[in-house]
Structure formats: structure tokens, C-alpha cells
Amino acid sequence: GLSEAGINIQMITTSEIKISVLVSRPEAQTALRVIHEVFSLHQEPTDRPTFPATVSPEPRDPVDVVARLQGVGMEELTIDQITLDESQARVSIHNVPDAPGVAAKVFEDVAAAGIFVDMIVQSYGRDGLADLSFTVPKPTLQNSQQVADKLTSDFQCGPVTSSPDVCKLSVSGIGLRSHTGVAIRMFRSLAAADINIEMVNTSEVRVNVVVDGSKGLLALKCLQTAFEDVLR
């Protein structure tokens, strides 16, 4: 949708609950309108699920709920879980043209090859070029590399780099949006253990990092220690 409107995506990041892209401020309103039209957000959904009248949500103490929401501010941070995913590999295409339609073409070809993509991170472009990285299931790495190699030929860019064994660590909880300290804790604890971060993405409820697969368990222990005071 954005590429058809001639809008360039300057950065990309994904999470389990959303996909975020960065566009220039003058194009923001147009981009928002395009996305609304692509996903028909201006229309009432026709497949809205209905639930039997007998089904009711799990009862909660209203006082406890209100107190919890009121307490989620700048001073409160609660981490629900820290997880480790060892099933992924990473592919990076370097020096791709920073132009409308490039990201669409990349992931159209990836999808056409039947490859599932988890994390996507596109760097901010410089000198008209950017780096695009994504993670895929380990068994699909070879196929993903072949698709990436063809794309570098199409775009006259590259090289393609990859890692056959990476781990995704996720820190999930409440209060992450107002706490930049979450990422700082993660980065400092991993740096202290000499663990390099290959990819990062964030959302209001989760921060994900990708590290070398051989460092996954060590990284998990580091993060558990770093957040033990707010891990419930």
C-alpha cells in the first residue's frame, strides 16, 4: 500500500502485536490514510466474533484492577516473563535501496517461497541505502538465503549475511512503554557478559533481542538476574 502511494519506509520494526514503520513527517497523514484503506479500518468488520451470553470473563476484584492500573506509571515496572526462543536463524540484506517498494518486494518474494518471518528490522537509510534483517525458522534458512541472493541481483545491492543459529530473548511486562530503563538493563547485562546483540525490536509490552545461538542460555540467565527485582 505505501509503495503504491510512493511513500518510502525509512525504518521497520515488528513485534507480536504490531508492525511499525517510520516515514517522513510530511507523508504521515497520507500514509495513515493508505493503511486505513488497505486494511479497511474505516469499515465495520463483517466477521466480528460473537460469544454466548452464558460466557463471562474470569471474575476479578475491581479494587485490585483499579489499583494495579493506577500504579502502572513511571515508578512501577512489572516483568511477567523472560523467554528464550532457540528455533530461529537470521538473514540480512545489506545496502538495499532506501526507496519505496523495496521492502514490499523483499517480503513478497519471501512469502511466495513459503517462508515464515518473525522479526523484521530495517535500519535508517544513509546515502540512499539501508540494511534489512529478518529471522526465519532454522530449516528454511537455505531457501531464505537463495531468495535474498536473487533480490540482491535484482536490486544490485548486497552482500547477504546470515547466521544459522540465533536466539531470540523476550522481556515482557507492564510499564515498558514508560521505562527506557528496560532496554538499558538488557543491554548492560548482556554487554557485561560479552554477548553481542544482533537485532532489537520493541513494543509497549515486550522488548526482543536476537543474539548468537551459542550464547542463548547465558543471555537468559543474565536477563533473569538483571530483572529479578521486578520479575513476578
Side-chain angles (χ1 to χ4, degrees), residues 12 32 47 54 61 76 93 103 114 127 139 142-143 147 151-152 158 183 190 210 220:
I12 302 173
L32 184 62
D47 57 348
T54 55
D61 181 355
E76 181 180 344
I93 307 176
D127 300 323
Q142 183 175 358
N143 194 13
V147 172
L151 286 164
T152 61
L190 296 177
V210 170
L220 179 62

Side-chain angles (χ1 to χ4, degrees), residues 53-89:
T54 55
V55 176
S56 60
E58 180 182 346
R60 295 184 180 182
D61 181 355
V63 176
D64 178 67
V65 172
V66 172
R68 182 172 179 78
L69 291 174
Q70 288 178 337
V72 178
M74 291 299 293
E75 300 304 320
E76 181 180 344
L77 172 66
T78 300
I79 300 300
D80 293 319
Q81 62 178 347
I82 302 173
T83 58
L84 173 66
D85 179 357
E86 301 178 282
S87 67
Q88 301 192 37

Side-chain angles (χ1 to χ4, degrees), residues 54-218:
T54 55
V55 176
S56 60
E58 180 182 346
R60 295 184 180 182
D61 181 355
V63 176
D64 178 67
V65 172
V66 172
R68 182 172 179 78
L69 291 174
Q70 288 178 337
V72 178
M74 291 299 293
E75 300 304 320
E76 181 180 344
L77 172 66
T78 300
I79 300 300
D80 293 319
Q81 62 178 347
I82 302 173
T83 58
L84 173 66
D85 179 357
E86 301 178 282
S87 67
Q88 301 192 37
R90 174 190 56 79
V91 177
S92 297
I93 307 176
H94 300 274
N95 301 315
V96 297
D98 184 23
V102 172
K105 170 63 175 174
V106 169
F107 293 107
E108 283 171 0
D109 286 10
V110 170
I115 300 167
F116 173 78
V117 174
D118 183 4
M119 284 179 63
I120 302 171
V121 175
Q122 178 181 312
S123 67
Y124 188 80
R126 291 185 177 181
D127 300 323
L129 301 174
D131 294 336
L132 183 60
S133 297
F134 54 95
T135 61
V136 298
K138 289 180 182 179
T140 65
L141 176 60
Q142 183 175 358
N143 194 13
S144 301
Q145 287 178 300
Q146 291 173 349
V147 172
D149 287 337
K150 182 180 183 303
L151 286 164
T152 61
S153 177
D154 293 342
F155 290 128
Q156 294 297 299
C157 66
V160 173
T161 62
S162 64
S163 175
D165 184 22
V166 298
C167 288
K168 182 177 79 170
L169 294 113
S170 302
V171 175
S172 308
I174 298 172
L176 271 65
R177 185 171 188 172
S178 60
H179 281 267
T180 56
V182 173
I184 294 173
R185 282 200 200 197
M186 294 181 72
F187 301 158
R188 284 180 175 171
S189 64
L190 296 177
D194 197 28
I195 299 174
N196 183 50
I197 297 174
E198 299 185 15
M199 297 173 65
V200 182
N201 69 11
T202 64
S203 73
E204 291 82 354
V205 297
R206 185 169 298 174
V207 179
N208 300 314
V209 298
V210 170
V211 303
D212 184 84
S214 64
K215 301 290 184 69
L217 290 175
L218 175 59

